[in-house]
Amino acid sequence: MSVLRSLESKIASLVEGTFSRAFRSEVRPVEIARKLAREMDEHKSLSVSRVYVPNEYAVYLSPPDRKRFREMEAQLVDDFTGYLLEHARRERYALMSRPQIEFRTDDRLRLGEFGIQARLVRQAQEPAAEEPSQGESGHTMIYSAAERLQEPLEERARERARTALLVTDGKRMVVGAEGATIGRSRDCDVVLSDGNVSRQHAEVRPRGDGWMIADLGSTNGVTVNGARIEQAQLLRAGDRIEVGTTELTFELE
C-alpha cells in the first residue's frame, strides 16, 4: 500500500472509529484531504529551478460541521499535514515550510460544504534561496462532497442575489426561487416545442449560493457550452445550454 493510500485510510478510519457518532454530515475527512492536495496542485509558483506550492491552508466549515469536527481537529491537522508532505514529496514540489493547516467557521457555508484557501508564505527566519515568480494566495474555493461544487465564495454570494433567467429565441424566462424544469410537458416551467426534448428534460435549481443544472433522465442529454454533463453542474452567467436542438442561455441580472 502506498504512503498516500495509507494516510487516506488512516483519515477515513476516524469516521468509522471513535468519532463515528459525531460525524454525520456530507463533509468527510478524506474529501478534505484530497481537496487540500488539489489546491496545492492548482496554486503552484515557478522559480528558476523549483516548483513552490502553498504552505498555509485555511479550511472553512459550516457551523454544524465545525461543531462535529471540533474534538478531532488536532488529529486531522496532523494527518492532513502528513498527507500534504507526502503529496509534495511525490510530485517533487518545494515547500517554504512545513504545511500549516487551520480550521475556521464560516456562517455562509451550508451543511456539507467546505472551503479551502491556500497561501504561499515565506517564513521570515528561513529566507528562500529562490523566490516564486507569481501570486502567493488564491480565492477561497468551496466544495460540496456530493456534487463537487467549486467556486469562489464571494462570487457565489453575488450570483444568488441576482435574478436567474433562461433566454431562447428572444424570450426571457425568469427562474423562480425554487428552480425551473425544462421540457415538452405543459407541467414544466419552461415548455419547449422541440421533438428532441423529453417531456421532463432538465432542471435548473438553486444550490447553496449558486445555480445548478441537472439532467432529469432525458433521452438526448444536456450539454453546457458544448460539453455533455454527466451530473449536476454549476451554471455561470452566459453559459449556453442545449436540450434537444434548442439552445438556451443562462443569464443573471
Side-chain angles (χ1 to χ4, degrees), residues 15-205:
V15 182
E16 301 165 358
T18 306
F19 303 104
S20 59
R21 291 187 180 180
F23 194 81
R24 297 176 181 172
S25 75
E26 284 187 276
V27 178
R28 295 290 183 266
V30 169
E31 189 73 18
I32 295 177
R34 290 169 179 166
K35 291 297 188 283
L36 284 167
R38 176 173 177 173
E39 290 300 306
M40 176 179 279
D41 292 336
E42 293 188 354
H43 291 91
K44 298 188 291 286
S45 295
L46 304 179
S47 68
V48 176
S49 60
R50 296 184 181 181
V51 178
Y52 286 95
V53 289
N55 55 338
E56 289 191 2
Y57 299 83
V59 178
Y60 294 89
L61 299 170
S62 66
D65 279 324
R66 181 72 190 280
K67 184 178 179 180
R68 289 177 170 85
F69 269 80
R70 195 169 299 280
E71 64 178 297
M72 56 194 294
E73 282 184 8
Q75 179 64 55
L76 286 175
V77 166
D78 287 343
D79 290 335
F80 289 161
T81 298
Y83 186 84
L84 289 179
L85 283 170
E86 177 59 24
H87 183 71
R89 185 200 64 77
R90 188 179 66 174
E91 299 297 328
R92 298 186 178 181
Y93 293 149
L95 286 160
M96 292 286 190
S97 67
R98 185 180 177 83
Q100 302 295 313
I101 301 167
E102 179 184 0
F103 284 94
R104 300 176 184 175
T105 303
D106 194 313
D107 293 334
R108 293 173 293 181
L109 295 175
R110 297 190 178 191
L111 184 72
E113 295 179 346
F114 62 95
I116 295 177
Q117 183 180 45
R119 301 176 64 233
L120 194 162
V121 179
R122 182 170 66 84
Q123 304 299 308
Q125 69 274 21
E126 296 180 4
E130 301 177 17
E131 294 292 343
S133 62
Q134 57 188 41
E136 294 187 341
S137 64
H139 292 290
T140 301
M141 302 306 294
I142 306 304
Y143 296 96
S144 163
E147 294 177 322
R148 304 300 190 269
L149 177 62
Q150 171 188 343
E151 61 177 325
L153 182 59
E154 295 79 6
E155 184 174 338
R156 295 179 60 196
R158 288 197 301 269
E159 291 198 355
R160 281 289 280 125
R162 300 163 68 185
T163 301
L165 302 165
L166 289 171
V167 181
T168 183
D169 292 332
K171 298 179 181 179
R172 297 164 60 83
M173 294 159 284
V174 175
V175 177
E178 300 300 318
T181 53
I182 305 168
R184 287 190 295 110
S185 171
R186 293 185 180 275
D187 294 330
C188 291
D189 300 292
V190 178
V191 181
L192 302 175
S193 56
D194 181 342
N196 294 298
V197 171
S198 298
R199 289 181 58 78
Q200 292 191 331
H201 198 106
E203 178 185 36
V204 174
R205 63 174 183 260

